[in-house]
Amino acid sequence: MLFFSIIVPVYNVETYLKRCLDNLKNQTYNNFEVLLIDDGSTDKSGLICDEYSSRDKRFKVYHKENEGVSSARNLGISEASGDYITFVDSDDWIDITYLSCVTELLEEANPDLLVNSFNRADDKSIKYIDLSSKNRKYFSGYEALYEMCVGNYFGWEPVARFYKTNKLNNVRFDEKIKYGEDLLFNYIFLKQKNITIIYEPVAKYNYYYRITSAVNSYTLTQKWDDIKVIQFIIDNEKNYIGKFLLRNCLWPRLVNRCKDALFSMKKEDLNHAIFLSKILRPYFWIILLGRNTSLKMRIKTAIISPFFFFGGKQ
């Protein structure tokens, strides 16, 4: 009988936490542990974790100083004892039948990674994210890496998926990266030898989008990390994956962030845009005049041209 480790990083989410934990507690499949990693919360989140732990022995609480979500997830991985690990963000929630509906497939196919669909929720509605067909798909590590980059079947996020625990022995989140750490984590996981992945279009995970979340409050400068991650992968993938990331992930990010900085009133953003423009400069005319460049991207590229002819030469 499969045993699951559910890792929940917790930081100042007292408004949403009980919804998340109630749905975990009420799972129709009972063989699991919940690792609540309280990452130095200053509200009542830590007390809520203690409350659930005192009432249900499946809930285990780890209180630590605030070091970020990657540090919290890494602690959870180190303490996990399940056959599979799944991550649930503390402001999200899963359907009470989630574990039940994936158990049979995991037991029969024994994949290293099971990826599911998910729902995107806000305060008004819940929307199913239809990334692909409605059929089950099997992938090798390279095929899954391609699909993750293209976004046909699944994206960069670590949630709504189940990782085989023994395949995470040498895989951790980079705690120095604040933006783009999920992509790097999944890239390292998928680069292991003889990895098997299944995509199962089960939408039992509800991703709650809130404007006040840490990621949505990052400045342009703080978002520099994901560009570094994308560049790292491009440098290591001298194939279609690298070319796809260059044209469809790196270039648009550089252009969009330069554009945003051009209209920013913050000096640090303008300085950062000048720095980004130096990375973008070798591709500037290719993007502006390229046959495959959309009209929208051409316009944005033209808008940021001052960085290349003035600020970008500093």
Side-chain angles (χ1 to χ4, degrees):
M1 188 176 186
L2 283 181
F3 184 60
F4 294 97
S5 292
I6 305 171
I7 298 174
V8 185
V10 177
Y11 179 69
N12 289 355
V13 283
E14 62 180 3
T15 304
Y16 314 98
L17 186 55
K18 288 187 176 181
R19 176 181 63 185
C20 174
L21 301 187
D22 282 342
N23 279 50
L24 294 176
K25 180 185 67 175
N26 295 324
Q27 286 294 301
T28 55
Y29 184 90
N30 294 314
N31 201 31
F32 64 87
E33 63 178 357
V34 179
L35 306 177
L36 300 172
I37 315 299
D38 174 27
D39 190 40
S41 296
T42 57
D43 63 0
K44 296 180 181 179
S45 296
L47 294 176
I48 294 173
C49 290
D50 291 335
E51 175 188 340
Y52 278 76
S53 178
S54 66
R55 295 179 181 179
D56 192 326
K57 64 180 182 180
R58 298 173 300 178
F59 287 73
K60 303 175 183 179
V61 183
Y62 300 84
H63 297 284
K64 61 187 290 296
E65 63 182 68
N66 179 244
E67 295 174 297
V69 66
S70 291
S71 174
R73 285 172 175 161
N74 285 342
L75 176 57
I77 294 172
S78 298
E79 296 295 331
S81 56
D83 301 298
Y84 281 92
I85 286 174
T86 187
F87 299 99
V88 177
D89 288 346
S90 51
D91 51 355
D92 299 341
W93 72 100
I94 62 175
D95 188 276
I96 62 172
T97 64
Y98 191 18
L99 298 184
S100 295
C101 75
V102 300
T103 300
E104 182 177 352
L105 176 58
L106 290 172
E107 289 178 334
E108 290 181 356
N110 193 35
D112 297 309
L113 175 63
L114 174 66
V115 181
N116 298 124
S117 306
F118 62 93
N119 301 308
R120 179 164 171 159
D122 55 28
D123 292 325
K124 297 180 180 179
S125 64
I126 297 177
K127 180 182 179 181
Y128 172 63
I129 304 300
D130 187 9
L131 295 177
S132 66
S133 71
K134 297 181 180 180
N135 299 317
R136 180 181 299 169
K137 298 288 184 179
Y138 295 81
F139 302 105
S140 66
Y142 178 83
E143 291 168 338
L145 178 58
Y146 168 79
E147 295 297 342
M148 182 179 73
C149 292
V150 175
N152 285 339
Y153 290 91
F154 43 89
W156 302 353
E157 63 282 336
V159 299
R161 56 186 69 188
F162 294 83
Y163 299 86
K164 186 177 285 185
T165 305
N166 62 18
K167 288 294 185 178
L168 289 174
N169 290 336
N170 299 312
V171 182
R172 292 294 186 274
F173 291 89
D174 190 329
E175 297 178 18
K176 296 179 181 179
I177 295 177
K178 302 301 181 184
Y179 197 69
E181 73 281 5
D182 296 344
L183 171 59
L184 183 59
F185 174 82
N186 281 300
Y187 175 73
I188 295 172
F189 182 88
L190 293 175
K191 290 296 287 184
Q192 297 180 88
K193 293 182 179 179
N194 301 319
I195 290 287
T196 58
I197 300 95
I198 298 177
Y199 170 77
E200 178 77 350
V202 171
K204 299 285 186 178
Y205 188 101
N206 297 290
Y207 175 85
Y208 183 67
Y209 180 81
R210 55 190 175 104
I211 298 176
T212 56
S213 68
V215 170
N216 291 322
S217 64
Y218 284 166
T219 65
L220 292 174
T221 305
Q222 289 173 317
K223 289 182 177 181
W224 161 236
D225 279 347
D226 74 329
I227 290 177
K228 290 192 293 184
V229 170
I230 293 170
Q231 282 189 308
F232 170 79
I233 297 176
I234 290 172
D235 291 340
N236 284 276
E237 298 295 327
K238 304 299 183 180
N239 49 38
Y240 183 78
I241 291 175
K243 293 178 181 178
F244 180 89
L245 286 175
L246 177 67
R247 292 182 174 273
N248 296 279
C249 293
L250 183 62
W251 290 354
R253 274 172 171 74
L254 291 171
V255 170
N256 284 324
R257 289 179 192 170
C258 285
K259 177 185 68 67
D260 290 342
L262 185 62
F263 295 97
S264 172
M265 300 300 292
K266 297 179 181 179
K267 184 178 179 180
E268 65 176 25
D269 287 343
L270 288 172
N271 290 335
H272 186 61
I274 291 172
F275 173 70
L276 293 180
S277 70
K278 294 178 181 179
I279 302 174
L280 185 59
R281 184 182 295 156
Y283 313 114
F284 177 73
W285 292 109
I286 298 175
I287 298 173
L288 186 63
L289 303 177
R291 282 189 312 174
N292 297 323
T293 303
S294 68
L295 177 60
K296 186 176 182 180
M297 185 57 63
R298 291 178 196 272
I299 294 172
K300 289 180 179 180
T301 305
I303 289 174
I304 65 171
S305 59
F307 284 121
F308 299 92
F309 298 109
F310 299 101
K313 292 186 178 181
Q314 295 179 4

